[in-house]
Amino acid sequence: MKLNVNGDEHEIACSTLAELMAALDYEGSWLATAVNGELVHAADRDGWRLRDHDRIEILSPMKGG
Amino acid sequence: MLQVYDTEITSRLLLGTAGYPSPAVLSDAVRASQTQIVTVSLRRETAGGKAGGAFFELIRELGTKILPNTAGCHTAKEAVLTAKMAREVFRTNWIKLEVIGNHDTLQPDVFALVEAARILSNEGFEVFPYTTDDLVVAERLLEAGCRVLMPWCAPIGSAMGPQNLSALRSMRAHFPDVPLIVDAGIGRPSHAATVMELGFDAVLLNTAVAGAGDPALMASGFARAIEAGRQAFEAGVLEPRDMAVPSTPVIGKAVFS
């Protein structure tokens, strides 16, 4: 499946958002996720099925003004 | 004591966390400022990265309240999604709402700002909108549900200080009961003291502290200036006069010739 994760194209075998994150070694309670411009709560990642060409954003706390 | 939404704060300085030479210097500056609110953002995490987690831990150890921002968003849609993601991570309904409309000045797109403020307020967010000193926009933001306004006094990071004092005075006069926090453009403690003397409730700083030679010392200087400006406002500032007025009594003056 072709997926865009944080702006980078990936060809990866996974069916859910949680599986994608595990495959790419994303872990931590501080991560926030969105798929195709919609927030996906942490609790919903296990059941969130991905589709070809989905755009995924994985964000993390950062300094800011 | 200042109340922002349902939170009472004693420090009238809000501090940004960007641009410090090191995490240790950031921590020292936050402590020296005695701030109770720091701003943070959300950015893309690299695969396997732990940078966000380390930063979050540093911020939590400071023990302040966290005000996440939507910095860098250029549309209402982007800002709303970023706010929702920030709520997921930081577990707060507070959001410093920024929707940028111009690349050079980082001036807010006030139309998208009002739209995003309405959506977020309806979804339970407590919105701190980064806005201009325009009174009509301010009215619209209040109508949209905002109970705090954060006007710029100069472009973000410019250090120019208050560029339009009459507009700031006007804003204070029009909204006597709304917490007004000057956000952006402050360069030095005297700028902060100036807006506090006008009756603004607080000041949000970042670059002026982070970019100083000694950020912790500058944070302390700003804290004192903000307190001094507030005391001056509460005490009642003497208005300027055109003519000299002798301070020493004239009556009873000796006549020597």
Side-chain angles (χ1 to χ4, degrees):
Chain A
M1 181 154 51
K2 284 199 170 97
L3 298 168
N4 185 301
V5 182
N6 283 353
D8 293 328
E9 298 295 335
H10 290 265
E11 178 79 44
I12 195 161
C14 61
S15 58
T16 67
L17 180 56
E19 287 177 23
L20 170 72
M21 291 176 73
L24 293 181
D25 196 23
Y26 279 104
E27 60 171 329
S29 59
W30 58 86
L31 298 171
T33 49
V35 177
N36 300 328
E38 297 295 330
L39 171 71
V40 179
H41 293 290
D44 297 334
R45 289 175 194 152
D46 279 331
W48 194 276
R49 302 200 73 77
L50 295 174
R51 289 175 298 184
D52 215 19
H53 302 298
D54 273 352
R55 289 174 297 107
I56 295 109
E57 291 286 341
I58 303 172
L59 306 187
S60 180
M62 186 58 65
K63 56 196 179 179
Chain B
M1 191 77 80
L2 169 64
Q3 183 165 341
V4 285
Y5 289 95
D6 295 326
T7 298
E8 289 189 337
I9 52 173
T10 50
S11 166
R12 292 172 181 270
L13 194 171
L14 289 71
L15 194 62
T17 56
Y20 295 82
S22 71
V25 174
L26 164 62
S27 296
D28 289 345
V30 168
R31 290 195 186 94
S33 74
Q34 298 186 304
T35 185
Q36 293 164 296
I37 301 173
V38 297
T39 56
V40 297
S41 70
L42 279 182
R43 287 292 181 263
R44 285 172 167 171
E45 182 63 278
T46 52
K50 301 284 181 281
F55 175 74
F56 198 8
E57 190 54 37
L58 174 80
I59 294 300
R60 277 195 289 212
E61 283 173 4
L62 294 172
T64 65
K65 285 196 65 93
I66 293 174
L67 176 58
N69 70 27
T70 63
C73 291
H74 284 75
T75 66
K77 188 168 184 241
E78 279 180 342
V80 167
L81 176 57
T82 302
K84 289 179 180 174
M85 295 178 84
R87 179 156 70 176
E88 171 95 353
V89 170
F90 298 111
R91 305 194 182 281
T92 174
N93 286 325
W94 282 12
I95 191 75
K96 174 183 160 178
L97 183 60
E98 284 186 49
V99 189
I100 299 301
N102 183 285
H103 288 284
D104 293 327
T105 62
L106 299 180
Q107 181 167 353
D109 176 338
V110 294
F111 306 97
L113 179 70
V114 171
E115 181 188 349
R118 182 172 297 114
I119 294 167
L120 291 170
S121 297
N122 287 340
E123 297 201 18
F125 282 88
E126 296 180 326
V127 179
F128 294 63
Y130 160 62
T131 184
T132 66
D133 51 30
D134 187 294
L135 298 181
V136 181
V137 172
E139 287 280 7
R140 296 290 180 273
L141 287 167
L142 296 176
E143 288 165 14
C146 298
R147 287 190 278 145
V148 172
L149 297 172
M150 299 211 298
W152 69 351
C153 77
I156 294 173
S158 70
M160 289 195 292
Q163 295 297 291
N164 192 344
L165 285 176
S166 66
L168 292 177
R169 273 197 198 93
S170 180
M171 197 168 197
R172 179 69 285 175
H174 276 77
F175 306 104
D177 301 322
V178 178
L180 298 179
I181 300 170
V182 170
D183 175 13
I186 298 279
R188 53 188 64 202
S190 57
H191 296 156
T194 298
V195 299
M196 293 303 294
E197 286 170 9
L198 295 181
F200 280 78
D201 293 285
V203 169
L204 199 165
L205 300 166
N206 189 344
T207 314
V209 170
D214 182 339
L217 188 57
M218 186 61 84
S220 173
F222 265 109
R224 289 160 187 250
I226 288 166
E227 186 61 29
R230 180 64 192 179
Q231 287 179 340
F233 172 71
E234 290 179 356
V237 177
L238 188 67
E239 290 305 314
R241 308 169 198 184
D242 289 335
M243 302 293 287
V245 180
S247 45
T248 304
V250 177
I251 295 171
K253 180 178 151 330
V255 178
F256 295 118
S257 58

